[in-house]
Amino acid sequence: MDTGLTERQGVAALAAFFAKNGWYFREQFTHDWGIDAHVEIVRGGAPTGELIALQIKAGKSYFSNETDDSVPFPSDEKHIRYWTEHSMPVVVVLFHPETQQMYWQHISKQTAVSTGKGWKVVVPKAHSFDDPERTLRLLSEILQPEPYVRRLNKLRVDRRWMERIADGDQVVVEFDDWVNKSLPRYQVTLSCFEESEVLPMTYMPGTGIEGMLEHLFPWAEFSMNEDAYNENSEEPWDEDAHPERDYFVPVYEDGEIERYSLVLSLNELGEGFLVTDAFLDADSDEPRSFTLEDLEAEAARTRTQR
């Protein structure tokens, strides 16, 4: 089987698992080194901002040395150091393309073992995805960074959408509001030309549309998607007839749902994050700094060498 197709099967299986169980799975199309996706923990229907990074490995070859209880995952020192020092907890997921079985393990200084020639992480078969409730509970128990780092990580996950906006592309968020449901729920989709990301159904009791958007996209401002409105309305959008922030006008409604379509732009947080993240992510090529004492010491060494 084609290696690329096998890898896609692993990603698709994991995405389907988290979507079915209400967590936010986001594949990293622009990959971090050794990170294939992020998943955001959802509790009580509300996203928490707690993120787990995923390294997904699919193929029969990863199971060649499996035992009755575990599957050893081989790696090298560079990757192990990267994963264990990552700002998010990193989980490796092994996917068998024939049995469709998946197993996971948190990569940490406790689970990464030196073999003398390299490193391995023992992935227990007890960490299968057969029991969703148990799997989500165990993943939730993985230590999370402090709130400051969680918020920073959340911005990093959405960076590609911010970059599309900064490049002049139109990024649209669409969602349905189920008006007859007592528990507010929103099906949210982000899109930009051929790329789209569908978030699982979001339940946010006590939070209106504006609060939901501010939680999911704190880096954005919103405006009415006039094209979507005009496609579904007999009367064209009249900007003068609405207050400046009156973008919560549905582009479609049928008595059960109200559908909204909004265009995103970067607010001060989004703009500032892109600048800051580019600086922090740049290769280190800083000019050498020195003090007066350094110059005097260098001059002394030069005189001695003469």
Side-chain angles (χ1 to χ4, degrees):
M1 180 178 291
D2 179 76
T3 302
L5 180 58
T6 302
E7 291 176 353
R8 296 306 308 164
Q9 284 185 336
V11 172
L14 200 57
F17 172 85
F18 285 117
K20 184 178 180 179
N21 290 282
W23 284 19
Y24 292 177
F25 179 90
R26 297 182 179 181
E27 185 177 357
Q28 293 300 100
F29 296 98
T30 303
H31 295 283
D32 286 339
W33 192 60
I35 302 298
D36 297 309
H38 298 135
V39 64
E40 180 176 358
I41 296 173
V42 175
R43 294 192 183 93
T48 63
E50 298 175 345
L51 301 173
I52 296 173
L54 301 173
Q55 166 68 184
I56 307 167
K57 293 295 184 181
K60 292 191 296 182
S61 61
Y62 293 105
F63 294 80
S64 58
N65 295 316
E66 69 175 313
T67 68
D68 291 339
D69 301 320
S70 63
V71 183
F73 169 59
S75 190
D76 55 49
E77 184 176 357
K78 289 184 178 179
H79 279 84
I80 292 296
R81 182 183 300 115
Y82 176 78
W83 289 325
T84 56
E85 295 178 357
H86 201 281
S87 59
M88 305 180 202
V90 178
V91 165
V92 61
V93 178
L94 303 181
F95 172 81
H96 197 297
E98 293 183 356
T99 65
Q100 302 290 296
Q101 189 61 263
M102 294 188 294
Y103 305 105
W104 66 272
Q105 177 62 296
H106 178 207
I107 303 178
S108 67
K109 294 180 180 180
Q110 288 71 43
T111 60
V113 179
S114 174
T115 63
K117 296 182 179 180
W119 289 78
K120 70 176 181 179
V121 175
V122 177
V123 181
K125 290 185 176 179
H127 284 183
S128 73
F129 288 78
D130 295 338
D131 185 343
E133 183 176 350
R134 178 176 181 271
T135 299
L136 298 184
R137 176 174 55 80
L138 292 177
L139 289 174
S140 296
E141 291 174 357
I142 295 176
L143 294 178
Q144 296 294 318
E146 62 185 19
Y148 173 91
V149 177
R150 291 207 305 266
R151 288 191 291 267
L152 179 60
N153 289 340
K154 186 174 180 64
L155 292 174
R156 293 180 62 199
V157 169
D158 288 341
R159 179 177 58 188
R160 74 179 188 276
W161 295 111
M162 298 185 220
E163 290 175 339
R164 296 295 292 267
I165 296 172
D167 290 340
D169 296 333
Q170 179 173 278
V171 175
V172 173
V173 59
E174 296 181 319
F175 57 92
D176 293 340
D177 183 12
W178 297 75
V179 295
N180 294 323
K181 303 293 185 181
S182 57
L183 179 62
R185 62 196 67 191
Y186 307 99
Q187 186 75 63
V188 179
T189 301
L190 276 171
S191 61
C192 181
F193 300 118
E194 75 288 347
E195 183 179 358
S196 64
E197 177 181 352
V198 180
L199 304 183
M201 183 74 76
T202 303
Y203 297 86
M204 302 192 70
T207 304
I209 292 176
E210 188 166 2
M212 178 270 292
L213 291 172
E214 289 178 352
H215 176 83
L216 294 181
F217 314 110
W219 45 267
E221 293 182 352
F222 307 91
S223 60
M224 185 68 188
N225 185 354
E226 298 180 19
D227 291 338
Y229 180 88
N230 292 336
E231 288 176 4
N232 294 278
S233 177
E234 297 179 359
E235 296 293 331
W237 175 257
D238 183 1
E239 186 173 351
D240 295 334
H242 297 273
E244 182 179 352
R245 288 179 55 83
D246 191 9
Y247 43 74
F248 295 136
V249 177
V251 299
Y252 168 82
E253 51 189 325
D254 61 7
E256 287 292 330
I257 65 169
E258 293 180 349
R259 181 160 299 151
Y260 296 83
S261 182
L262 310 174
V263 177
L264 278 67
S265 59
L266 296 178
N267 58 21
E268 290 184 355
L269 174 60
E271 293 174 348
F273 170 75
L274 287 181
V275 174
T276 303
D277 194 58
F279 169 76
L280 296 175
D281 199 40
D283 293 333
S284 179
D285 189 21
E286 298 178 1
R288 179 187 175 191
S289 61
F290 53 84
T291 65
L292 181 58
E293 288 77 10
D294 294 330
L295 291 177
E296 292 174 345
E298 182 67 26
R301 283 193 294 270
T302 302
R303 288 195 297 271
T304 302
Q305 292 172 358
R306 291 175 182 173

